[in-house]
Amino acid sequence: MKIVGLSDVEIFDSESVISKKQAALKFGPVIIRKGLVTTDDLNLAAPTLLEILYIGRLDIETKGLDTLLETAKLLKSESVKFRIRGPQLGSGYNWLKEQVVKYGLGDKVELSGSVFGDEKAELLKNASLFILLSRNEGVPVSV
């Protein structure tokens, strides 16, 4: 047993504390709330599919969703799934739908409406990586 850290929320590998980005790409999510963590506590099975989750307003420019779709295009041949959740109102949702079709990303990008409560918690729990791309925020709140 190896003690790897004290934290409210951290991501660890089996040997040492590594960057959150590396951990998210290499392993499934490990979220530890308030307390001492040992390597015995961690489930470190490598995911077969990297699931990237965005939850928020579908404002293309402010939220940077154009960048997320560019990333999806670059990773089209990889084992990656992008789950985008937000209100299906206005031009943002329609633009995203059009781009997904235009670039043949239907099997890589999943668009759906807003999520709340237990459904949101389940999505966050099962995602490999939660991403917040905002170019600017007045009062930043991730979810």
Side-chain angles (χ1 to χ4, degrees):
M1 173 175 67
K2 178 179 177 185
I3 296 174
V4 291
L6 287 167
S7 178
D8 289 338
V9 178
E10 288 284 344
I11 299 178
F12 302 96
D13 76 358
S14 61
E15 295 301 319
S16 63
V17 178
I18 61 175
S19 79
K20 291 180 180 182
K21 180 179 178 183
Q22 288 172 320
L25 293 174
K26 193 170 181 184
F27 304 106
V30 178
I31 299 176
I32 293 86
R33 299 179 193 276
K34 302 208 190 267
L36 184 64
V37 179
T38 70
T39 54
D40 296 341
D41 299 325
L42 306 179
N43 175 8
L44 298 171
T48 56
L49 175 70
L50 178 67
E51 294 189 27
I52 299 174
L53 175 65
Y54 168 85
I55 299 175
R57 205 172 67 238
L58 301 181
D59 179 333
I60 306 306
E61 281 301 312
T62 303
K63 296 297 186 178
L65 294 172
D66 52 333
T67 304
L68 189 59
L69 281 189
E70 287 297 319
T71 303
K73 289 186 328 192
L74 291 171
L75 297 176
K76 192 173 179 178
S77 64
E78 302 298 325
S79 184
V80 178
K81 179 84 170 187
F82 293 82
R83 299 185 191 285
I84 300 173
R85 301 290 190 265
Q88 296 178 352
L89 307 170
S91 61
Y93 178 76
N94 293 331
W95 184 86
L96 285 167
K97 259 176 61 171
E98 290 168 7
Q99 298 301 303
V100 166
V101 170
K102 179 178 178 180
Y103 293 106
L105 297 172
D107 62 332
K108 293 290 180 185
V109 178
E110 177 184 287
L111 297 171
S112 190
S114 300
V115 291
F116 304 95
D118 290 342
E119 183 181 6
K120 182 193 292 186
E122 193 67 22
L123 280 169
L124 289 164
K125 177 183 165 189
N126 292 324
S128 305
L129 178 67
F130 170 75
I131 191 162
L132 180 65
L133 298 167
S134 295
R135 290 186 168 103
N136 60 58
E137 289 286 342
V139 180
V141 178
S142 60
V143 286

